[in-house]
Every structure is written in structure tokens, then in C-alpha cells.
Amino acid sequence: MTEKDGFQQHVANVYREHRGQRVVSFEYQGKRYWLKQVEHLAGAMRLLKQNSAAALHKEIGVLNTLSHLGAPVPAVVDFGDGYMVVEDVGYTINNILNHTSQTLWQPILNDASIALAKLHCMLLAHGRPALRDISWQEGEVRFIDFEANQQHMSIISQQVRDLLVFIHSLYRYIGPNNRVINQAIACYRLAGGEAIWQKAKQFLASWQWLYYFARPFRHTGGKDLKPVYWVLWHFRQVPLTPI
């Protein structure tokens, strides 16, 4: 039996033992992998969400295409009817922040910002690059769970949305720690994201009325509302001139 055959047999065993379980991790020869299966929907959710098998098939195609282009994504190492297997790429950044000293946050966030800028320089977009959808392992950043439902937008609009989602997520998980976040965004701008940052600032110019609406909730609002104020604050207090 070849090494490939042995791996596929192991995957088949894991799939059989965990049939119906959405995501499960396993190890093979000292390496960690994730098995993701078709989501089984019940009741009204069948009508509200897209076909699960088609969604998984699309995800496999997106990851393979992005990997071929050299994008920082997990490699699909096996797939079959109703499942796929991807390599483990470390913990998501929001998880790391919860278990790591704040003194170590800056280089991790800088790495994520630079990786997002490089993805944008490849004329690609993620769709939802929140910290829970970005992994970090020994300086290596990988983007997971790409959203493919923004294809009706121009690539510039998609990338502006990426940046706003990313900054919102920074404030959501870190809070108004402006020094840490400002340095991370400065890394994005210096790594090739300056034009998109400028576009984002211009886009938000017509939404600045929200700044005054959100201000009373900047410390007491919900986990999604509070960051809205700080995103607007970021673009108000940082000058338009390139860094």
C-alpha cells in the first residue's frame, strides 16, 4: 500500500466513524488535518441556505484555484463525495488572542495585515476576513472560509469591504486599543494596501453621520455595534495622505 493509499484509507475510517459531524480533526503520521463534511440541514434551514453539497463543491474549487494562484490558503489534500480534507494551518487569530499575552499581539496582527495586503495585491478578495477566519502559525498566515457571494461587486469594492470587515474585527476582538490597531493597519498600507485604504476612507465619507449615531454606544453597545464607531473613528483621525 502506498503512502497515498494509506492516507486515503485513514480518511475513509475517520469519515465513517464521524459521519454527519460537520467538522472533525484527526492526525496522520504526526500531522494534523481537518475533515469537513456536507452540512445536513433540517426543516426550514433547507430553504434558507444554499444546497450544502454544492456549497462544499464550490469551496473545494475556490481553495484549489487560490492555492494554484499562490494565495495563502489551506491545501486541500483529499476530497470525495460529501467531504474534503484540508491541512491544519494553526489556530485562528481570535483564538490566539484569547490565550496569548497582549505583549505578543502586535507581530501576529501585523502578519495578518501584511497577508491581507498581499492577497489584495494579487487582485483577490476574501469576502469576510474577520480574525476568526484567519489562522496564524509561527509567522505563517492562512485565510479560511472564503466567501464567494460577492462576485457581483468589482474587485476594488470587494477589497474595500475586506478591509472594513478586517478593521471592524480588530476592534471587535481587541477593543479601542488604538496603538496596536493603528500599527497593524499601517503595515497593511505599507505592504501594498495604500490604494484600498484610501478608497475605504473615501467610501466612508458619506457614512460619517453614523459616527455621531454610534458614539453613545462606543463603550456600551453590543460586540458588533461598538466596533462600528471605532472603524469610523479610525478613518476620521488618520489623515488621507499616504504613509
Side-chain angles (χ1 to χ4, degrees), residues 28-57:
Y28 182 77
Q29 295 186 351
K31 293 188 64 176
R32 193 181 187 199
Y33 300 89
W34 293 87
L35 172 71
K36 185 174 184 179
Q37 301 183 49
V38 167
E39 184 176 12
H40 295 286
L41 304 175
M45 292 305 295
R46 294 181 178 179
L47 301 176
L48 297 175
K49 300 189 70 172
Q50 62 177 311
N51 180 275
S52 298
L56 183 67
H57 181 74

Side-chain angles (χ1 to χ4, degrees), residues 118-217:
K118 290 182 177 179
L119 184 74
H120 288 171
C121 288
M122 298 174 68
L123 300 182
L124 298 171
H126 180 278
R128 190 192 60 195
L131 298 188
R132 65 180 180 273
D133 297 308
I134 307 173
S135 70
W136 183 93
Q137 188 173 52
E138 298 179 354
E140 292 292 327
V141 174
R142 294 288 185 275
F143 293 94
I144 58 179
D145 289 339
F146 274 71
E147 292 286 321
N149 60 354
Q150 303 295 323
Q151 301 304 312
H152 62 284
M153 302 167 62
S154 70
I155 188 61
I156 297 298
S157 296
Q158 292 180 57
Q159 292 175 346
V160 167
R161 183 178 187 274
D162 270 5
L163 181 58
L164 296 178
V165 168
F166 180 67
I167 298 176
H168 180 278
S169 185
L170 289 174
Y171 283 112
R172 184 181 191 273
Y173 288 105
I174 298 174
N177 189 336
N178 303 316
R179 180 185 60 81
V180 173
I181 294 175
N182 283 348
Q183 184 174 335
I185 299 307
C187 286
Y188 170 86
R189 297 174 68 182
L190 289 169
E194 178 64 26
I196 298 302
W197 187 92
Q198 299 279 350
K199 290 285 187 181
K201 185 174 178 69
Q202 293 168 12
F203 171 78
L204 286 182
S206 61
W207 290 93
Q208 281 299 327
W209 60 270
L210 275 175
Y211 175 83
Y212 300 101
F213 170 80
R215 183 176 173 81
F217 306 101

Side-chain angles (χ1 to χ4, degrees), residues 51-118:
N51 180 275
S52 298
L56 183 67
H57 181 74
K58 178 183 290 186
E59 185 174 0
I60 293 170
V62 168
L63 287 175
N64 282 332
T65 298
L66 292 171
S67 180
H68 179 72
L69 293 172
V73 297
V76 178
V77 295
D78 190 25
F79 63 91
D81 185 20
Y83 75 90
M84 72 172 178
V85 178
V86 297
E87 63 178 354
D88 180 69
V89 289
Y91 292 104
T92 56
I93 292 180
N94 67 310
N95 186 289
I96 293 173
L97 297 184
N98 287 333
H99 298 89
T100 306
S101 168
Q102 293 188 22
T103 60
L104 302 176
W105 288 3
Q106 192 70 71
I108 296 171
L109 297 175
N110 291 352
D111 287 342
S113 299
I114 292 169
L116 181 62
K118 290 182 177 179

